[in-house]
Amino acid sequence: MVWYDRVILKFDGASRHNPHGPAGCGWVLIEMDEFGAEEYCNIATGNKYLGYNVSNNQAEYQGLINGLQYIQDYISCNKVYVRGDSEIIINQMLGDYKVNSRNIRPYFNEAKEIESQLQYEGMEIYYRHISRAKNWEADELANRAIDD
């Protein structure tokens, strides 16, 4: 495993003709410098085509899950700063919004399970909503998954 002090995980999902798809997700893992700034030293990126009948929120969660899973499998660090442009997903992960949709509940549960495992390993995880403009790389990866 590669060790970093702090990393930023940006995630996104896309569903064209929401919720009918096609859909895809993407994520970017970035090293944070000692001053708290993004170095734009990408550690890793990923995307995945999710098929049809996948909603935008499901695709967003899948991007988050895939990024967290990558961290769990390959990265050791002190702090993970999760950034996404979906206000709903960020606030659900923070516990500020309830997860009412039974279609979303399995995605939420899986993300929280990985989060718990990372915290058990000693990682601190922080969530923050960002603008779509600041999430352009993850958005591009999600859309590329659909187009490719």
Side-chain angles (χ1 to χ4, degrees), residues 4-20:
Y4 298 91
D5 184 33
R6 299 179 291 179
V7 298
I8 299 167
L9 171 62
K10 293 184 177 183
F11 70 93
D12 202 12
S15 178
R16 299 190 184 146
H17 312 292
N18 188 30
H20 304 294

Side-chain angles (χ1 to χ4, degrees), residues 15-65:
S15 178
R16 299 190 184 146
H17 312 292
N18 188 30
H20 304 294
C25 65
W27 57 269
V28 180
L29 192 60
I30 303 164
E31 184 176 8
M32 185 182 277
D33 71 14
E34 66 271 14
F35 304 108
E38 297 176 21
E39 286 195 29
Y40 277 98
C41 174
N42 286 359
I43 298 167
T45 63
N47 66 349
K48 183 176 182 181
Y49 176 71
L50 303 174
Y52 285 83
N53 297 314
V54 176
S55 74
N56 192 64
N57 287 338
Q58 289 170 312
E60 293 267 358
Y61 262 114
Q62 193 62 58
L64 172 61
I65 289 164

Side-chain angles (χ1 to χ4, degrees), residues 60 84-94 97 129-130:
E60 293 267 358
D85 60 24
S86 171
E87 186 177 342
I88 291 171
I89 305 306
I90 295 295
N91 283 301
Q92 286 175 337
M93 292 301 293
L94 287 169
Y97 290 4
H129 178 257
I130 58 173

